[in-house]
Amino acid sequence: MSPAVHSTTSITTRAGVTVVRRVRSVLNPAGTAPGSAAPASGWLAVTVAGDVQEVDTENLPAPLAHYGDRIEVRTRPAPGGKGTELGARLRHQPGGGVARRLSGKDPQADLRSALRRAKQLLEVGEVLAVDPAPHGNRTPTPGGLLLEAWTRSAPKGGVL
């Protein structure tokens, strides 16, 4: 095999593997094993600025308090002494996997969003949000509709 063909094959293979990994991470962001409904640990975590003693797991911010007994919450020092790791996980993982995520009704994604909002409340006292930019009336194109759908689901993916 010539060096040029070998190089092209290598690049194509790496690109293919990257695409497959990204598709898997979109379809299965929790990293669950095929056929299982729950990730190995199920814990989602954010790092909050401040000491472990400053995060009261008995009086959680509203986004997490809303879950009540449906979640477990833990705190521990963040790696490298960079604050507090606030973790939460659902006590019961409902089935539905990919179908739930695609429909926008994924409890794991909702918990991820609530955890990020709780982090902001703990750090700055309010949930910061960007005012949506007015864009007027646009002709709906397939790409535009896809972009609008992604924008609506972005807070559940960790982007506020």
Side-chain angles (χ1 to χ4, degrees):
M1 189 180 294
S2 72
V5 171
H6 178 65
S7 176
T8 302
T9 303
S10 176
I11 291 170
T12 304
T13 302
R14 283 192 305 237
V17 169
T18 300
V19 168
V20 168
R21 284 183 181 154
R22 290 199 178 171
V23 168
R24 281 184 183 168
S25 71
V26 167
L27 294 177
N28 191 4
T32 61
S36 72
S41 72
W43 287 101
L44 299 170
V46 293
T47 301
V48 178
D51 295 327
V52 174
Q53 298 82 12
E54 294 175 12
V55 180
D56 182 8
T57 56
E58 297 300 318
N59 294 316
L60 295 168
L64 291 177
H66 165 75
Y67 283 89
D69 291 339
R70 294 181 295 154
I71 61 170
E72 295 177 65
V73 178
R74 71 176 180 199
T75 59
R76 61 184 180 188
K82 301 204 187 270
T84 300
E85 185 179 274
L86 172 63
R89 74 174 170 183
L90 295 167
R91 291 184 190 273
H92 172 70
Q93 290 281 342
V98 174
R100 281 187 173 273
R101 278 192 291 281
L102 292 175
S103 69
K105 298 177 182 172
D106 181 19
Q108 192 79 357
D110 293 337
L111 179 57
R112 184 180 306 111
S113 180
L115 195 56
R116 293 184 59 79
R117 289 191 316 268
K119 168 189 169 71
Q120 289 187 11
L121 286 169
L122 289 168
E123 289 181 344
V124 297
E126 65 180 301
V127 176
L128 304 174
V130 176
D131 290 333
H135 53 268
N137 295 327
R138 291 188 280 199
T139 304
T141 62
L145 293 173
L146 185 59
L147 180 60
E148 294 291 333
W150 280 338
T151 302
R152 279 192 303 276
S153 68
K156 294 182 179 182
V159 181
L160 291 175

